[in-house]
Amino acid sequence: MLVTSFALGAGNIGFAAGIFASNVGDLSLYAATGTGTVAAAAAFGIGMSVATFLKKDSQN
């Protein structure tokens, strides 16, 4: 359940980042999609790293 929540949140962050990059950076659809994908992957990775750290910390 936690992984699904992180994935959905990362998707929302990536979508927002793609829209922001398209408007502010005057990027093409392809470039904005790439920006959103990278932002979503980074957000998911950071979220999973935090979750792993918290799980390891709570077991001690």
Side-chain angles (χ1 to χ4, degrees), residues 15-59:
F15 183 71
I19 290 174
F20 182 77
S22 176
N23 290 334
V24 174
D26 196 29
L27 300 177
S28 67
L29 178 63
Y30 181 75
T33 301
T35 301
T37 302
V38 169
F44 183 74
I46 291 169
M48 290 305 295
S49 297
V50 170
T52 303
F53 175 76
L54 292 177
K55 186 174 180 179
K56 285 181 182 177
D57 191 42
S58 66
Q59 290 178 353

